């Protein structure tokens, strides 16, 4: 793992050096397939090809990860050296002549694909990656047939379904290293590492333990980057189909998270960041949902509760810094790795947990139905939400889960396709009220920095009796791993921080332990970019998908008539009619939770 860490560090440093050196640099001249090109940036051959829309096949390459050249599918011919070279790890050189489509190159691709298939579980029709598998697409594109003797034998002990969030089927692994890089280099978790050699190489956990018994935080980064079906979300598609088609008198209610509305469209060929809220709601109705509520409603409610909790801690000497609690992967990290910080966590449930609680414990009673006759299906960008839904603390008094089923954004896309719903031709539909009303502050929960910005909009105004000078608080926006800001807050200067991506979080907590940082309030999101980069979002092979999704979220916020959580009329109403006020006894019972030490020492 240390070896990979230094590789990634060197890769990032060399990328930075290349970008800096490109300013005023002489253009590199080269040819691809007998056509002349030039570039002022010292790119790899693969990057140069993709920049000029020239296709080169890959399986191990992903623009968000370090190129490793493992799959050998991107081999190209050049005029240097005589041998074919992997385009993903070969630097561009002045005067280089590249051939990507010669018979020699194409035969090499077919041969390497055949070798991969010879050791691959080809139960494609029942695979979770069916229809979105990168290997499947390559095999079809190159017309690869079964010419290689099969050396694959099904090993049932290679399937690990112990996690409520993820399933690992290593018989489908293509040794691309993506999952190892995602877990170790991006997230800093080191749950997976490569073991064995040759056809016996495989990514495993320490001591080959089931995922559930490791320190895995269920972020799903491994499943997001997996090009095949070797690691996938623990699917709830078939269970949801059964619930929708055999209701037996039960009421089926869907709720959808903020980040889903700028990503679901990617499942149907649209661009990252395209806003498809109305079509998503319409599609869910056509699936057979009786009600569609918006998790944004309880994002606003979270701000009321969490903002009040922060003000209470600051005024009364509570544990500081206070940490946000809406990210279940982050909660898993604290409970498993940093239990000493449990007192710092806000006691607020996540917006998913809050809305499910309201539906089962308040809405059901108001409608005159039993909680057990209501099925709540939540659509989340996050695989860790599946894990969260099973927490004992998030059950009704009768012991039934408040969230019955969690679907990732990808799973919702698959469900819509299975039901043959023409997503792009749907007319926009609205959420059901009052649990469908929300503000701009709620939707920015989908971005890193969004929870902090939403909280500041409300806490500042409640504490100082005046609005913030600007609602767009840019110091907490963007992709910087650790963002810090200081806000004049009456008698104190409120020091806040925003941290996203697990590896950055671990660095921050190390600094906090060493006394190198000091804050009152810190937002944590386990995935890069926040929920828009969640492990259950649509897979993408572009390098700017997070930026585009983030822009989509901010566009929704800008267009909202109301952009502060405390101005949501439906939130005001539920306090007046039921909860009375933030941090009331009812609020603590239904909107708050507690945590436990799940560390290996414990």
């Amino acid at each position: 793992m240390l070896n990979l860490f230094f590789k990634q560090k060197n890769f990032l440093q060399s990328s930075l050096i290349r970008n800096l050196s490109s300013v005023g640099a002489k253009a590199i001249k080269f040819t691809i397939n007998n056509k002349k090109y030039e570039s002022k940036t010292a790119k790899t051959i693969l990057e140069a090809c993709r920049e000029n829309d020239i296709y080169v096949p890959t399986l191990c390459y992903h623009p968000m990860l370090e190129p490793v050249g493992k799959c050998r599918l991107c081999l190209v011919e050049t005029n240097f050296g005589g041998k074919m070279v992997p385009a993903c790890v070969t630097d561009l050189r002045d005067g280089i002549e590249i051939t990507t489509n010669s018979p020699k190159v194409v035969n090499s691709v077919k041969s390497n694909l055949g070798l991969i298939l010879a050791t691959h579980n080809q139960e494609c029709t029942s695979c979770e990656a069916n229809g979105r598998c990168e290997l499947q697409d390559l095999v079809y594109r190159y017309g690869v047939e079964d010419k290689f003797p099969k050396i694959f034998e099904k090993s049932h002990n290679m399937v690990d379904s112990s996690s409520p969030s993820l399933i690992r089927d290593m018989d489908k692994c293509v040794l691309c290293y993506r999952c190892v890089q995602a877990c170790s280099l991006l997230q800093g978790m080191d749950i997976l590492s490569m073991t064995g050699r040759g056809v016996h190489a495989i990514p495993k956990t320490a001591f080959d333990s089931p995922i559930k018994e490791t320190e895995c935080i269920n972020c799903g980064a491994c499943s997001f980057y997996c090009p095949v079906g070797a690691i996938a979300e623990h699917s709830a598609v078939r269970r949801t189909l059964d619930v929708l088609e055999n209701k037996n008198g039960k009421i089926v209610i869907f709720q959808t998270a903020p980040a889903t509305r700028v990503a679901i469209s990617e499942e149907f060929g649209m661009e990252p960041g395209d806003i498809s809220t109305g079509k998503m709601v319409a599609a869910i109705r056509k699936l057979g949902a009786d009600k569609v509520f918006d998790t944004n409603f309880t994002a606003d409610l979270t701000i009321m509760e969490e903002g009040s909790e922060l003000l209470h801690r600051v005024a009364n000497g509570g544990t500081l810094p206070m940490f946000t609690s809406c990210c279940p992967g982050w909660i898993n990290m604290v409970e498993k790795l940093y239990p000493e910080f449990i007192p710092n966590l806000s006691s607020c449930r996540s917006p998913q947990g809050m809305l499910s609680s309201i539906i089962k414990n308040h809405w059901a009673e108001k409608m005159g139905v039993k909680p057990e006759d209501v099925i709540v299906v939540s659509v989340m960008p996050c695989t860790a939400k599946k894990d969260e839904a099973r927490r004992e603390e998030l059950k009704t008094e009768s012991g039934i889960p408040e969230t019955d089923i969690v679907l990732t954004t990808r799973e919702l896309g698959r469900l819509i396709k299975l039901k043959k719903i023409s997503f792009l031709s749907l007319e926009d539909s609205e959420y059901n009220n009052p649990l469908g009303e929300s503000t701009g502050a709620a939707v920015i929960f989908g971005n890193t920095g969004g929870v902090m910005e939403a909280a500041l909009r409300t806490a500042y105004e409640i504490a100082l009796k005046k609005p913030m000078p600007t609602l767009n608080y840019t110091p907490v926006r963007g992709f910087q791993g650790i963002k810090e800001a200081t806000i004049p807050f009456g008698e104190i200067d409120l020091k806040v921080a925003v941290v996203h991506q697990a590896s950055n979080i671990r660095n921050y907590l190390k600094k906090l332990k060493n006394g190198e940082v000091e804050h009152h309030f810190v937002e944590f999101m386990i995935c890069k970019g926040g929920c828009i980069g969640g492990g259950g979002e649509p897979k993408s092979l572009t390098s700017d998908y997070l930026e585009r999704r983030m822009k989509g979220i901010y566009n929704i916020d800008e267009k909202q008539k109301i952009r502060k959580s405390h101005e949501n009329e439906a939130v005001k109403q539920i306090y007046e009619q039921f909860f009375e006020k933030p941090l009331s006894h009812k609020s603590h019972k239904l909107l708050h939770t507690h945590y436990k030490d799940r560390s290996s020492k414990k």
Side-chain angles (χ1 to χ4, degrees):
M1 288 302 104
L2 282 175
N3 210 14
L4 281 172
F5 169 78
F6 287 119
K7 273 188 176 181
Q8 176 73 349
K9 184 179 179 182
N10 292 335
F11 169 67
L12 295 173
Q13 287 176 341
S14 62
S15 298
L16 178 61
I17 291 170
R18 282 205 313 244
N19 291 334
L20 291 174
S21 64
S22 67
V23 180
K26 183 181 177 181
I28 296 175
K29 296 181 179 180
F30 55 96
T31 66
I32 305 177
N33 300 333
N34 298 317
K35 187 174 180 180
K36 294 180 179 180
Y37 300 92
E38 62 179 54
S39 173
K40 286 190 176 182
T41 306
K43 301 181 186 299
T44 62
I45 290 176
L46 179 62
E47 289 171 335
C49 288
R50 292 196 169 179
E51 186 179 79
N52 293 287
D53 297 323
I54 296 168
Y55 179 76
V56 174
T58 60
L59 195 59
C60 65
Y61 176 82
H62 193 284
M64 303 293 279
L65 301 172
E66 177 190 359
V68 292
K70 291 292 296 180
C71 69
R72 315 308 281 183
L73 296 178
C74 67
L75 294 178
V76 296
E77 290 187 275
T78 74
N79 60 328
F80 292 116
K83 294 182 179 180
M84 290 193 293
V85 296
C88 66
V89 292
T90 304
D91 283 337
L92 202 60
R93 296 167 59 179
D94 199 50
I96 194 169
E97 297 173 6
I98 304 159
T99 303
T100 68
N101 57 5
S102 67
K104 183 178 179 180
V105 169
V106 172
N107 286 335
S108 170
V109 173
K110 289 183 176 181
S111 295
N112 284 324
L113 282 172
L115 287 170
I116 291 171
L117 286 176
T119 59
H120 187 70
N121 177 341
Q122 296 181 41
E123 296 174 354
C124 299
T125 55
S126 59
C127 179
E128 285 303 317
N130 186 27
R132 64 180 77 175
C133 173
E134 293 178 44
L135 177 60
Q136 197 175 47
D137 290 343
L138 287 166
V139 168
Y140 178 80
R141 181 185 181 111
Y142 286 93
V144 178
E145 299 175 359
D146 293 336
K147 294 180 179 179
F148 290 82
K150 294 293 177 211
I151 55 176
F152 161 78
E153 291 184 9
K154 180 69 177 175
S155 304
H156 290 287
N157 61 339
M158 300 292 278
V159 179
D160 177 7
S161 59
S162 64
S163 164
S165 298
L166 303 165
I167 287 185
R168 297 167 60 243
D169 186 348
M170 292 297 97
D171 285 326
K172 297 174 182 176
C173 179
V174 292
L175 304 180
C176 67
Y177 275 69
R178 283 197 202 171
C179 62
V180 175
Q181 285 203 65
C183 185
S184 301
L185 303 184
L186 293 186
Q187 297 296 66
M189 292 302 299
D190 292 330
I191 303 300
L192 298 172
S193 60
M194 294 302 298
T195 64
R197 302 183 67 182
V199 295
H200 301 292
I202 202 164
K204 286 187 176 182
T205 61
F207 308 110
D208 202 17
S209 301
I211 279 286
K212 187 177 181 180
E213 296 177 14
T214 70
E215 293 176 337
C216 174
I217 54 178
N218 290 313
C219 69
C222 54
S223 68
F224 178 86
Y225 286 103
C226 181
V228 289
I231 306 180
E233 63 270 29
H234 208 136
S235 179
V237 171
R238 293 183 183 88
R239 184 185 171 198
T240 306
L241 275 172
D242 184 58
V243 162
L244 289 167
E245 294 172 354
N246 301 284
K247 292 183 180 179
N248 297 320
K250 296 187 183 293
I251 300 170
V252 180
I253 297 175
F254 274 64
Q255 59 163 304
T256 67
T260 59
R261 64 206 69 204
V262 295
I264 183 63
S265 55
E266 295 170 51
E267 289 289 316
F268 303 94
M270 296 172 71
E271 295 297 317
D274 283 351
I275 301 166
S276 303
T277 315
K279 291 186 185 300
M280 177 174 65
V281 174
I284 292 171
R285 284 217 165 85
K286 287 189 75 68
L287 287 173
D290 297 296
K291 299 285 183 182
V292 187
F293 294 145
D294 195 353
T295 318
N296 282 10
F297 171 81
T298 36
D300 280 329
L301 205 60
T302 298
I303 292 304
M304 297 303 297
E305 294 293 323
E306 198 166 69
S308 298
E309 185 180 2
L310 173 63
L311 294 175
H312 180 78
R313 289 197 191 193
V314 171
N316 298 284
T319 303
L320 295 173
M322 190 177 89
F323 297 160
T324 57
S325 56
C326 54
C327 173
W330 157 240
I331 296 301
N332 286 339
M333 177 182 275
V334 174
E335 291 186 329
K336 288 187 172 186
L337 298 172
Y338 301 97
E340 66 270 28
F341 287 120
I342 286 177
N344 296 79
L345 289 169
S346 164
S347 62
C348 288
R349 299 182 181 201
S350 71
Q352 170 185 276
M354 284 191 181
L355 188 52
S356 295
S357 175
I358 290 172
I359 292 169
K360 288 283 181 81
N361 298 293
H362 173 58
W363 182 88
E365 182 180 2
K366 196 174 179 181
M367 295 294 107
V369 297
K370 297 177 181 179
E372 53 266 33
D373 289 333
V374 178
I375 297 175
V376 177
V377 181
S378 72
V379 182
M380 297 286 137
C382 171
T383 52
K385 288 291 184 186
K386 294 174 179 282
D387 181 35
E388 177 190 276
R390 293 194 178 189
R391 292 180 71 96
E392 288 296 321
E393 304 85 12
L394 303 183
K395 292 184 176 180
T396 65
E397 289 184 347
S398 61
I400 62 171
E402 291 170 338
T403 305
D404 296 279
I405 299 173
V406 177
L407 295 171
T408 61
T409 314
R410 289 198 296 269
E411 287 175 277
L412 177 62
R414 179 179 287 273
L415 193 58
I416 293 168
K417 292 171 185 175
L418 281 173
K419 295 291 284 186
K420 308 299 182 185
I421 296 170
S422 179
F423 185 85
L424 299 181
S425 65
L426 293 173
E427 292 186 9
D428 288 357
S429 185
E430 299 289 331
Y431 288 102
N432 293 101
N433 289 324
L435 302 182
E437 293 183 27
S438 63
T439 71
V443 76
I444 61 176
F445 266 55
N447 290 340
T448 170
V451 178
M452 178 63 69
E453 186 173 347
L456 291 175
R457 290 179 188 180
T458 289
Y460 188 96
E461 192 160 328
I462 290 175
L464 303 183
K465 311 300 181 187
K466 61 179 181 180
M468 288 184 70
T470 175
L471 291 183
N472 296 340
Y473 193 62
T474 55
V476 298
R477 294 187 176 188
F479 289 95
Q480 184 180 341
I482 300 175
K483 295 161 281 190
E484 299 176 273
T486 302
I487 304 100
F489 212 81
E491 297 180 358
I492 67 166
D493 286 337
L494 190 70
K495 297 178 180 180
V496 302
V498 170
V499 192
H500 66 112
Q501 195 171 329
S503 55
N504 294 323
I505 291 175
R506 302 194 77 167
N507 289 336
Y508 176 86
L509 294 178
K510 182 179 179 180
K511 290 181 178 180
L512 186 62
K513 283 183 175 183
N514 293 337
E516 299 173 36
V517 290
E518 183 180 349
H519 298 102
H520 296 96
F521 187 32
V522 188
E523 176 203 302
F524 292 100
M525 293 286 181
I526 216 72
C527 295
K528 183 177 176 64
C531 301
I532 55 169
E537 290 280 70
K539 297 185 179 185
S540 178
L541 289 171
T542 64
S543 58
D544 64 346
Y545 68 95
L546 288 178
E547 287 84 353
R548 293 160 75 181
R549 288 176 188 171
M550 179 175 281
K551 184 179 179 181
I553 289 287
Y554 285 130
N555 285 341
I556 298 174
D557 173 39
E558 291 280 357
K559 293 175 183 177
Q560 290 287 93
K561 293 180 180 178
I562 301 174
R563 298 179 63 197
K564 304 171 192 174
S565 296
H566 58 283
E567 294 180 355
N568 184 330
E569 291 299 325
V571 168
K572 291 179 184 179
Q573 186 181 63
I574 202 168
Y575 276 117
E576 290 171 1
Q577 296 180 357
F578 187 68
F579 288 117
E580 299 172 2
K581 62 180 181 179
L583 307 184
S584 68
H585 175 71
K586 285 183 180 178
S587 292
H588 273 292
K589 183 178 180 181
L590 298 181
L591 305 180
H592 292 251
T593 187
H594 60 274
Y595 313 100
K596 56 190 177 185
D597 183 348
R598 293 191 285 150
S599 63
S600 55
K601 291 181 180 178
K602 180 69 173 179

